[in-house]
Amino acid sequence: MSDYDIQSYLLDRANIHDVITKMSLYLDLKRFTSLASDVFADKMQVDYSSLLGGEPYELTGEKQAVTWMEQLGGMDCWQHVTTSILIELPQPGKGVGIPKNAGALANCVARLERREARGGPEASNGGRYDLEVIRTNKSGNPWRISRLKADVVWFAGNMGVYEGVENKPAEG
Protein backbone atom coordinates (compact mmCIF):
# COMPACT_ATOMS: atom_id res chain seq x y z
CA MET A 1 0.00 0.00 0.00
CA SER A 2 1.47 3.35 -0.95
CA ASP A 3 1.15 6.25 1.40
CA TYR A 4 -1.35 8.97 0.62
CA ASP A 5 0.72 12.15 0.73
CA ILE A 6 -0.45 15.74 1.17
CA GLN A 7 0.21 16.66 -2.47
CA SER A 8 -1.95 13.79 -3.73
CA TYR A 9 -4.67 14.68 -1.22
CA LEU A 10 -4.74 18.34 -2.28
CA LEU A 11 -4.71 17.43 -5.99
CA ASP A 12 -7.56 14.96 -5.45
CA ARG A 13 -9.63 17.60 -3.62
CA ALA A 14 -9.05 20.13 -6.41
CA ASN A 15 -9.87 17.59 -9.13
CA ILE A 16 -13.04 16.39 -7.38
CA HIS A 17 -14.16 19.99 -6.84
CA ASP A 18 -13.55 20.69 -10.53
CA VAL A 19 -15.52 17.69 -11.78
CA ILE A 20 -18.52 18.63 -9.61
CA THR A 21 -18.33 22.25 -10.75
CA LYS A 22 -18.06 21.15 -14.38
CA MET A 23 -21.27 19.14 -14.05
CA SER A 24 -23.44 22.24 -13.58
CA LEU A 25 -21.44 24.51 -15.84
CA TYR A 26 -21.26 22.06 -18.76
CA LEU A 27 -24.99 21.40 -18.41
CA ASP A 28 -25.75 25.13 -18.60
CA LEU A 29 -23.36 25.59 -21.53
CA LYS A 30 -24.99 22.64 -23.36
CA ARG A 31 -21.66 20.78 -23.48
CA PHE A 32 -23.31 17.39 -23.32
CA THR A 33 -20.38 15.57 -24.96
CA SER A 34 -18.03 17.01 -22.32
CA LEU A 35 -20.41 15.87 -19.57
CA ALA A 36 -20.15 12.34 -20.90
CA SER A 37 -16.38 12.34 -21.36
CA ASP A 38 -15.05 14.61 -18.59
CA VAL A 39 -17.63 14.47 -15.77
CA PHE A 40 -19.62 11.23 -15.66
CA ALA A 41 -18.29 7.74 -14.95
CA ASP A 42 -18.81 4.99 -17.49
CA LYS A 43 -21.56 3.61 -15.22
CA MET A 44 -23.55 5.70 -12.78
CA GLN A 45 -26.58 5.81 -10.51
CA VAL A 46 -28.97 8.76 -10.72
CA ASP A 47 -31.82 9.72 -8.41
CA TYR A 48 -34.05 12.74 -8.99
CA SER A 49 -37.07 11.15 -7.30
CA SER A 50 -37.38 13.94 -4.70
CA LEU A 51 -38.17 16.37 -7.54
CA LEU A 52 -39.63 14.26 -10.33
CA GLY A 53 -40.95 11.17 -8.55
CA GLY A 54 -40.16 7.80 -10.06
CA GLU A 55 -37.28 5.58 -9.02
CA PRO A 56 -33.47 5.86 -9.03
CA TYR A 57 -31.87 4.34 -12.11
CA GLU A 58 -28.51 3.12 -13.42
CA LEU A 59 -27.06 3.94 -16.81
CA THR A 60 -23.89 4.97 -18.62
CA GLY A 61 -22.47 8.45 -18.26
CA GLU A 62 -23.03 8.99 -21.96
CA LYS A 63 -26.69 8.05 -21.58
CA GLN A 64 -27.07 10.46 -18.64
CA ALA A 65 -25.73 13.32 -20.76
CA VAL A 66 -28.27 12.44 -23.47
CA THR A 67 -31.01 12.19 -20.84
CA TRP A 68 -30.29 15.72 -19.60
CA MET A 69 -30.11 17.01 -23.17
CA GLU A 70 -33.56 15.56 -23.88
CA GLN A 71 -35.05 16.64 -20.53
CA LEU A 72 -33.93 20.24 -21.06
CA GLY A 73 -34.76 20.27 -24.77
CA GLY A 74 -38.17 21.85 -24.17
CA MET A 75 -36.82 24.57 -21.89
CA ASP A 76 -36.10 28.09 -23.13
CA CYS A 77 -33.32 28.68 -20.62
CA TRP A 78 -31.91 27.31 -17.40
CA GLN A 79 -29.15 27.79 -14.87
CA HIS A 80 -27.73 25.48 -12.22
CA VAL A 81 -25.49 26.64 -9.38
CA THR A 82 -23.56 24.15 -7.26
CA THR A 83 -21.74 25.50 -4.23
CA SER A 84 -20.49 24.68 -0.72
CA ILE A 85 -18.90 21.48 -2.02
CA LEU A 86 -17.80 19.29 0.90
CA ILE A 87 -15.50 16.48 -0.22
CA GLU A 88 -15.10 13.37 1.92
CA LEU A 89 -11.55 12.06 1.47
CA PRO A 90 -9.33 10.30 4.01
CA GLN A 91 -6.70 12.52 5.60
CA PRO A 92 -3.24 11.88 4.14
CA GLY A 93 -0.63 9.96 6.10
CA LYS A 94 1.54 6.89 6.39
CA GLY A 95 -0.37 3.70 5.90
CA VAL A 96 -3.30 5.50 4.27
CA GLY A 97 -3.92 4.09 0.81
CA ILE A 98 -4.73 6.14 -2.26
CA PRO A 99 -8.55 6.39 -2.36
CA LYS A 100 -10.43 4.85 -5.27
CA ASN A 101 -13.67 6.69 -4.48
CA ALA A 102 -14.93 9.59 -2.40
CA GLY A 103 -18.19 11.13 -1.32
CA ALA A 104 -19.25 14.73 -1.70
CA LEU A 105 -22.15 16.89 -0.61
CA ALA A 106 -23.03 20.18 -2.26
CA ASN A 107 -25.75 22.79 -2.17
CA CYS A 108 -27.49 23.36 -5.48
CA VAL A 109 -30.03 25.76 -6.95
CA ALA A 110 -31.71 25.47 -10.35
CA ARG A 111 -33.89 27.87 -12.29
CA LEU A 112 -35.69 26.78 -15.44
CA GLU A 113 -37.91 28.66 -17.85
CA ARG A 114 -40.34 27.35 -20.42
CA ARG A 115 -42.34 30.28 -21.76
CA GLU A 116 -45.17 28.13 -23.11
CA ALA A 117 -45.73 26.16 -19.88
CA ARG A 118 -49.30 26.07 -18.64
CA GLY A 119 -49.51 27.93 -15.34
CA GLY A 120 -46.49 30.15 -15.80
CA PRO A 121 -43.02 30.04 -17.32
CA GLU A 122 -40.71 29.70 -14.29
CA ALA A 123 -39.66 27.04 -11.82
CA SER A 124 -36.87 27.18 -9.26
CA ASN A 125 -35.66 24.67 -6.73
CA GLY A 126 -32.86 24.21 -4.28
CA GLY A 127 -31.41 21.47 -2.19
CA ARG A 128 -28.40 19.25 -2.06
CA TYR A 129 -26.51 16.82 -4.22
CA ASP A 130 -25.24 13.67 -2.57
CA LEU A 131 -22.48 12.44 -4.86
CA GLU A 132 -19.97 9.67 -5.20
CA VAL A 133 -16.92 10.08 -7.39
CA ILE A 134 -14.55 7.36 -8.52
CA ARG A 135 -10.93 7.47 -9.62
CA THR A 136 -10.60 6.26 -13.20
CA ASN A 137 -7.56 5.59 -15.36
CA LYS A 138 -8.42 8.50 -17.68
CA SER A 139 -5.73 11.06 -18.37
CA GLY A 140 -5.96 14.54 -16.91
CA ASN A 141 -8.47 14.73 -14.08
CA PRO A 142 -9.13 11.04 -13.26
CA TRP A 143 -12.21 11.64 -11.06
CA ARG A 144 -15.72 11.03 -12.43
CA ILE A 145 -19.20 11.17 -10.89
CA SER A 146 -20.60 7.67 -10.37
CA ARG A 147 -23.61 8.52 -8.19
CA LEU A 148 -25.82 11.61 -8.26
CA LYS A 149 -28.72 11.99 -5.86
CA ALA A 150 -30.66 15.25 -5.72
CA ASP A 151 -32.45 16.02 -2.47
CA VAL A 152 -34.85 18.90 -3.08
CA VAL A 153 -35.38 21.14 -0.04
CA TRP A 154 -37.56 23.84 -1.58
CA PHE A 155 -39.48 24.51 -4.78
CA ALA A 156 -41.00 27.74 -6.11
CA GLY A 157 -42.92 28.48 -9.26
CA ASN A 158 -44.81 26.27 -11.64
CA MET A 159 -44.26 22.51 -11.60
CA GLY A 160 -45.86 22.56 -15.08
CA VAL A 161 -42.50 23.76 -16.43
CA TYR A 162 -41.37 20.14 -15.94
CA GLU A 163 -44.28 18.71 -17.95
CA GLY A 164 -42.94 15.73 -19.90
CA VAL A 165 -39.73 15.51 -17.84
CA GLU A 166 -39.46 12.19 -16.01
CA ASN A 167 -36.97 10.66 -13.57
CA LYS A 168 -35.80 8.01 -16.00
CA PRO A 169 -33.13 7.61 -18.66
CA ALA A 170 -33.69 8.74 -22.22
CA GLU A 171 -35.03 6.11 -24.61
CA GLY A 172 -32.74 4.27 -27.00
Side-chain angles (χ1 to χ4, degrees):
M1 171 187 308
S2 36
D3 292 333
Y4 191 44
D5 62 34
I6 189 72
Q7 292 87 353
S8 297
Y9 169 82
L10 292 172
L11 181 58
D12 283 343
R13 283 186 51 83
N15 279 332
I16 292 167
H17 188 279
D18 284 357
V19 81
I20 293 169
T21 301
K22 284 178 182 178
M23 178 180 66
S24 294
L25 188 59
Y26 285 0
L27 177 59
D28 290 347
L29 295 172
K30 302 178 185 180
R31 292 185 183 175
F32 298 105
T33 302
S34 295
L35 275 171
S37 64
D38 299 342
V39 175
F40 294 146
D42 291 339
K43 292 182 181 176
M44 58 186 299
Q45 300 171 348
V46 178
D47 183 357
Y48 272 91
S49 58
S50 73
L51 176 65
L52 301 172
E55 298 294 325
Y57 55 87
E58 295 184 13
L59 73 174
T60 66
E62 183 176 341
K63 189 68 158 174
Q64 181 57 36
V66 169
T67 297
W68 276 357
M69 182 177 68
E70 290 181 2
Q71 286 175 331
L72 294 170
M75 304 295 169
D76 294 302
C77 61
W78 60 85
Q79 184 177 35
H80 297 79
V81 177
T82 303
T83 188
S84 302
I85 300 169
L86 179 62
I87 299 164
E88 301 162 353
L89 278 169
Q91 291 294 309
K94 291 197 178 290
V96 177
I98 295 169
K100 304 273 188 253
N101 63 340
L105 294 170
N107 285 327
C108 53
V109 177
R111 183 187 176 285
L112 297 99
E113 182 176 308
R114 189 163 57 125
R115 291 179 200 105
E116 300 301 318
R118 248 183 327 199
E122 296 177 15
S124 299
N125 65 75
R128 279 173 280 292
Y129 284 133
D130 183 355
L131 303 144
E132 181 179 68
V133 293
I134 60 169
R135 185 187 303 273
T136 67
N137 59 4
K138 300 190 180 194
S139 61
N141 183 342
W143 292 95
R144 299 293 185 272
I145 296 171
S146 60
R147 182 175 48 83
L148 168 63
K149 181 176 190 276
D151 290 317
V152 175
V153 173
W154 61 269
F155 180 89
N158 175 21
M159 193 62 185
V161 169
Y162 291 94
E163 189 174 300
V165 176
E166 298 179 71
N167 182 36
K168 68 178 191 174
E171 299 293 320

